Amino acid sequence: SDVCSSDLSGGIAAVAGGIGEALITTAFGLLVAIPAVAIFNYFTNAIDAFVVDMNETSSELISYMLREGRKAA
């Protein structure tokens, strides 16, 4: 019985250190990943808005050029 309990407590202590290290590593990973995803989403949305503006501006420019082309002809 004593042999079994000492082996068990040694195994638990050895595993507990690894689990603690894994939890700390996970926490630091989340501290890096969450802001990175937020920044990525911000820039992705900014680029999408820029693309929409570019499409609208190019459509206006093409319409203007077509109108002016008809006036000149």
Side-chain angles (χ1 to χ4, degrees):
S1 175
D2 288 337
V3 173
C4 204
S5 65
S6 67
D7 286 343
L8 184 62
S9 65
I12 290 173
V15 172
I19 292 173
E21 185 178 346
L23 288 172
I24 291 170
T25 304
T26 301
F28 282 121
L30 289 171
L31 285 173
V32 171
I34 291 170
V37 169
I39 292 168
F40 172 79
N41 286 336
Y42 171 78
F43 283 114
T44 300
N45 290 333
I47 290 170
D48 287 344
F50 182 70
V51 167
V52 169
D53 287 343
M54 291 293 290
N55 283 335
E56 290 173 358
T57 303
S58 64
S59 294
E60 290 174 10
L61 179 62
I62 290 170
S63 295
Y64 174 78
M65 292 175 77
L66 288 174
R67 279 194 314 267
E68 291 301 313
R70 287 189 192 123
K71 289 180 185 177

